[in-house]
Amino acid sequence: MRDVAALAGVSIKTVSRVVNGSPEVSAELRQRVSQASAQLEFHPNLAASSLRRRDGKTRQVALLIEDVANPFSATLHRAIEDVANTHDTLVFAGSLDEDPQRELELVRAAVQHRMDGIIIVPASSDHGYLHREMHTGTPVVFVDRPPRGLVADAVLSDNTGGAYRATAHLAAYGHRDIAFLGDDWSIRTVVERYEGYERALADQGLPRREEIVACDLSDAAAAARATQGLMRLPNPPTALFTSQNLVTMGAIETLQAMGLHHRVAVVGFDDFPAADLLDPRVTVVAQDVFGIGTLAIRRLFSRIAGDASPVWEERLETRLIVRGSGELPPSDGLIR
Amino acid sequence: MRDVAALAGVSIKTVSRVVNGSPEVSAELRQRVSQASAQLEFHPNLAASSLRRRDGKTRQVALLIEDVANPFSATLHRAIEDVANTHDTLVFAGSLDEDPQRELELVRAAVQHRMDGIIIVPASSDHGYLHREMHTGTPVVFVDRPPRGLVADAVLSDNTGGAYRATAHLAAYGHRDIAFLGDDWSIRTVVERYEGYERALADQGLPRREEIVACDLSDAAAAARATQGLMRLPNPPTALFTSQNLVTMGAIETLQAMGLHHRVAVVGFDDFPAADLLDPRVTVVAQDVFGIGTLAIRRLFSRIAGDASPVWEERLETRLIVRGSGELPPSDGLIR
DNA sequence: TTGAAAGCGCTACCAA
DNA sequence: TTGGTAGCGCTTTCAA
């Protein structure tokens, strides 16, 4: 900037004004400065600028998600990026892998880099440690899972309602033995989805069978193994409600391997790529992932801009997408 | 930091030394400073630090990809994040959507934020504009597509070889009319994959039929439409080579809709989630996406550290994964 | 409309 | 081992 000022024969302050589009600079100086900037390929240092500027904004936000490579997280990321663009803001995404320790590290990094805000799908179960950050100017918005031990904005799915609908849908096709396959219990969404499942069973007057509830399935392989176990029970389930997309895929893998994919009904929570290319096509309860992301980042920017309105929690509706796998009738004789 | 120094009763400089783990501080002062830091919840400002520090590193890198939500980009992102972690570096990811204008904007943002380096899957076709940046201390590594109008490090797949293998594989199963379905010609990988396809046809003594080459298919829907057109030709292809995962999915969608999925062979470039859950399971030429990302970020860090060795281009092997769709024999009577 | 000086939070350099 | 001082690149404040 000094160099530009020297070349244009003006003060450093005038260059600053031109760079920031101040209206109070004469056309001639503006022209001279622009030319000098171009000639020297000058790029203002945003970090230095934010250090001194009144608002102190870095125009960077942090997005802490489960895994940037998983479709749910990646879609969320994209939705957030699109809105951040319109605010000239960069998005730094970090994968937590359900590791609370990693969450702490990344939050600390975000704070040390003075990011303007944080959007988080938390891995930890107590977020009290964020209290100080939030009250010293780093707003935090929770996504997918509510904050615990802390009052903060959150954008969630109606997990219970979605799971209820999935289970009731299977029951409506005559299923009485509907298995629940879920991820780790420590994840709030899993509990909520289980509650919806349980409530639907109760409302339909169906028995709750402990042995057809499988959890702590953290990847497709675990889900595949669990499904195998379920189908080998003396009295196997005739339908599966899988509470997450990797679990759905693992379960389907096993059903195919056992030749049962046209005989055992499946409804999955979360849509996934190619779900409508499988045979049978996979009926799912889809979350509005893009909508969730959009809402969350809007809320974050609103907080960043100083909005001090009361904390706010939004639950987005899910949508049942009927494709075939969830409409198979109960099938006898699965016992081998 | 000033506050911490005051509370601990030491100079600001001593606090700095403690924060940076300088060995030359007495245990007692170190202890006092640590306690004061904790009490005030002090977080050093990394931006300010980098502004003054000798190396000037911000510990941030930019990753410019097609779309953070697409599986190829997302996997790349994850590989890069993992290595960046070990360097205490955050990754800013931005989606270019194949838009050269967007590429310019994001490169500019990366430069203005003084990111330590850039990894790019370019959307533009002339990267000369990056020359200045690269020689003023922002290393750039290209991924998936080579630089043009610029000499720079690149990590690529052996696209030609992979496409050759896919096409030859189909030919080995007796196919003579193998269609090529590709994305936009302006993308270098598409051209390279077409070259492999063409070369394989030539080597097998197969005719090249212009009418069964479809390109500029930028999404699954376009691929689906193109496939429909191909299959309605008087003399339709008996096999498809789809040069990208969205194209593969679109083509399969149409084959299923036309009831041809067990009669028309398919080999796709790029593996995709659930490819092994389809019926038939999808034979693909898989890229080592994780390996590409790892190599690229390692190279970038090496350049950031000052490595001035000659520019370097790496081509990673692809892998044919035989699953079923690529081993269907030619089928007559497709004409309707 | 323009510029000089101070200072954002931190580290480099040199002195004690 | 510790601290003072200057200054990174920029914006603010205030004076011209």
Side-chain angles (χ1 to χ4, degrees):
Chain A
M1 193 152 194
R2 218 181 34 209
D3 301 341
V4 175
L7 180 60
V10 297
S11 83
I12 222 177
K13 175 68 242 209
T14 302
V15 178
S16 168
R17 281 195 258 257
V18 172
V19 165
N20 292 291
S22 247
E24 53 198 347
V25 183
S26 70
E28 194 219 324
L29 283 195
R30 184 191 314 277
Q31 165 63 22
R32 274 206 336 248
V33 170
S34 304
Q35 191 173 330
S37 293
Q39 191 175 329
L40 298 176
E41 299 228 12
F42 168 69
H43 290 284
N45 182 328
L46 258 39
S49 148
S50 102
L51 192 58
R52 193 66 183 84
R53 214 177 320 114
R54 189 47 140 299
D55 66 11
K57 297 286 179 283
T58 54
R59 298 189 176 284
Q60 301 188 158
V61 295
L63 171 62
L64 275 35
I65 47 191
E66 202 214 311
D67 176 4
V68 296
N70 117 355
F72 175 87
S73 301
T75 305
L76 204 59
H77 185 175
R78 181 59 204 250
I80 287 165
E81 184 196 350
D82 286 351
V83 175
N85 274 348
T86 67
H87 292 247
D88 272 327
T89 296
L90 305 184
V91 179
F92 287 77
S95 304
L96 303 183
D97 292 327
E98 304 295 356
D99 176 1
Q101 187 56 40
R102 185 96 194 99
E103 177 182 322
L104 285 174
E105 291 168 14
L106 284 180
V107 165
R108 198 166 55 107
V111 170
Q112 296 194 345
H113 281 275
R114 298 296 187 270
M115 306 245 162
D116 296 336
I118 300 177
I119 292 187
I120 185 170
V121 177
S124 72
S125 52
D126 181 2
H127 313 114
Y129 74 96
L130 278 168
H131 188 264
R132 186 69 50 100
E133 274 64 39
M134 291 188 57
H135 288 268
T136 58
T138 308
V140 180
V141 173
F142 284 72
V143 165
D144 191 49
R145 308 168 188 178
R148 303 177 68 177
L150 179 77
V151 177
D153 295 323
V155 185
L156 314 168
S157 272
D158 176 17
N159 292 300
T160 309
Y164 185 99
R165 198 152 15 144
T167 311
H169 182 76
L170 288 166
Y173 279 83
H175 295 279
R176 295 184 51 83
D177 297 288
I178 304 171
F180 176 91
L181 287 92
D183 201 337
D184 198 299
W185 273 120
S186 68
I187 302 174
R188 181 69 204 160
T189 49
V190 178
V191 176
E192 291 181 359
R193 289 170 198 174
Y194 181 75
E195 284 170 6
Y197 161 79
E198 205 176 21
R199 204 175 300 167
L201 291 187
D203 284 358
Q204 307 290 325
L206 298 179
R208 200 162 52 101
R209 293 176 53 201
E210 296 293 353
E211 73 272 24
I212 60 174
V213 172
C215 20
D216 295 324
L217 311 174
S218 55
D219 57 26
R225 281 193 301 276
T227 304
Q228 202 164 52
L230 289 174
M231 300 320 297
R232 285 187 173 145
L233 287 175
N235 189 5
T238 62
L240 312 179
F241 168 52
T242 51
S243 81
Q244 194 242 74
N245 54 20
L246 290 181
V247 172
T248 308
M249 293 170 76
I252 289 174
E253 184 190 323
T254 291
L255 292 182
Q256 290 187 356
M258 297 177 84
L260 295 174
H261 50 301
H262 286 289
R263 305 178 61 194
V264 175
V266 174
V267 175
F269 206 107
D270 271 358
D271 204 1
F272 60 94
D276 60 348
L277 293 179
L278 303 201
D279 179 32
R281 298 168 75 221
V282 186
T283 294
V284 298
V285 174
Q287 304 185 63
D288 180 7
V289 185
F290 214 88
I292 291 174
T294 304
L295 230 53
I297 183 72
R298 289 227 179 98
R299 189 69 193 166
L300 188 72
F301 276 122
S302 159
R303 293 296 188 194
I304 290 173
D307 175 354
S309 59
V311 160
W312 161 105
E313 176 181 305
E314 186 93 8
R315 289 260 176 193
L316 271 81
E317 282 307 302
T318 57
R319 194 163 53 93
L320 180 71
I321 306 181
V322 172
R323 295 205 181 106
S325 73
E327 295 72 43
L328 299 174
S331 177
D332 285 339
L334 297 177
I335 308 171
R336 29 178 72 202
Chain B
M1 194 152 192
R2 217 181 34 208
D3 301 341
V4 174
L7 182 60
V10 298
S11 83
I12 222 176
K13 176 68 245 212
T14 302
V15 178
S16 167
R17 279 195 259 257
V18 172
V19 165
N20 292 292
S22 248
E24 52 198 349
V25 184
S26 71
E28 194 220 324
L29 282 196
R30 185 191 313 276
Q31 165 64 20
R32 266 191 3 231
V33 169
S34 303
Q35 192 172 330
S37 291
Q39 190 174 330
L40 298 176
E41 300 230 11
F42 169 69
H43 291 283
N45 182 328
L46 257 41
S49 146
S50 102
L51 192 58
R52 194 63 183 87
R53 215 177 320 117
R54 189 48 139 299
D55 66 10
K57 297 287 180 280
T58 54
R59 298 189 176 285
Q60 299 187 160
V61 295
L63 171 62
L64 276 33
I65 47 191
E66 201 213 312
D67 176 4
V68 296
N70 117 354
F72 175 86
S73 302
T75 304
L76 204 59
H77 185 175
R78 180 59 203 248
I80 286 164
E81 185 198 346
D82 286 352
V83 175
N85 273 347
T86 68
H87 291 248
D88 272 328
T89 296
L90 301 183
V91 179
F92 149 67
S95 305
L96 302 183
D97 291 328
E98 304 295 358
D99 176 1
Q101 187 56 41
R102 185 97 195 99
E103 176 181 323
L104 285 175
E105 291 168 14
L106 285 182
V107 165
R108 199 166 53 109
V111 169
Q112 296 195 346
H113 282 274
R114 299 296 188 269
M115 306 240 163
D116 296 336
I118 300 175
I119 293 188
I120 185 171
V121 176
S124 72
S125 52
D126 180 2
H127 313 114
Y129 73 97
L130 278 168
H131 189 262
R132 185 68 51 99
E133 274 65 41
M134 292 189 55
H135 288 268
T136 58
T138 308
V140 180
V141 173
F142 284 72
V143 165
D144 191 50
R145 308 168 188 178
R148 302 178 67 178
L150 179 76
V151 178
D153 296 323
V155 185
L156 314 167
S157 273
D158 176 17
N159 291 302
T160 309
Y164 185 100
R165 196 146 23 137
T167 311
H169 182 75
L170 289 166
Y173 279 82
H175 295 279
R176 293 184 53 83
D177 297 289
I178 304 171
F180 176 92
L181 287 90
D183 202 337
D184 199 300
W185 273 121
S186 68
I187 302 174
R188 181 68 204 163
T189 49
V190 178
V191 176
E192 291 181 0
R193 290 170 197 175
Y194 182 75
E195 284 171 6
Y197 161 80
E198 207 175 21
R199 205 175 301 166
L201 290 187
D203 285 358
Q204 307 290 327
L206 298 178
R208 200 163 54 102
R209 293 174 54 199
E210 296 292 353
E211 73 273 24
I212 59 174
V213 171
C215 22
D216 296 324
L217 312 174
S218 54
D219 57 26
R225 282 192 300 275
T227 304
Q228 201 164 53
L230 289 174
M231 300 319 297
R232 286 186 173 147
L233 287 174
N235 190 6
T238 62
L240 313 179
F241 168 52
T242 52
S243 80
Q244 193 242 74
N245 53 19
L246 289 182
V247 173
T248 308
M249 294 171 76
I252 288 174
E253 184 190 323
T254 291
L255 291 182
Q256 290 186 356
M258 297 178 83
L260 295 173
H261 50 301
H262 286 289
R263 303 180 61 195
V264 175
V266 174
V267 176
F269 205 108
D270 271 357
D271 203 3
F272 60 95
D276 60 347
L277 294 179
L278 303 202
D279 177 35
R281 299 168 75 220
V282 186
T283 294
V284 298
V285 175
Q287 304 186 62
D288 180 7
V289 185
F290 214 89
I292 291 174
T294 304
L295 229 55
I297 184 72
R298 289 228 178 97
R299 190 68 193 168
L300 188 72
F301 277 122
S302 158
R303 292 297 188 194
I304 290 173
D307 175 355
S309 59
V311 161
W312 162 106
E313 176 180 304
E314 186 92 9
R315 289 262 176 191
L316 272 79
E317 283 306 304
T318 56
R319 194 162 54 93
L320 181 71
I321 305 181
V322 173
R323 295 205 182 104
S325 73
E327 295 71 46
L328 300 173
S331 177
D332 283 341
L334 298 176
I335 308 171
R336 28 180 71 205

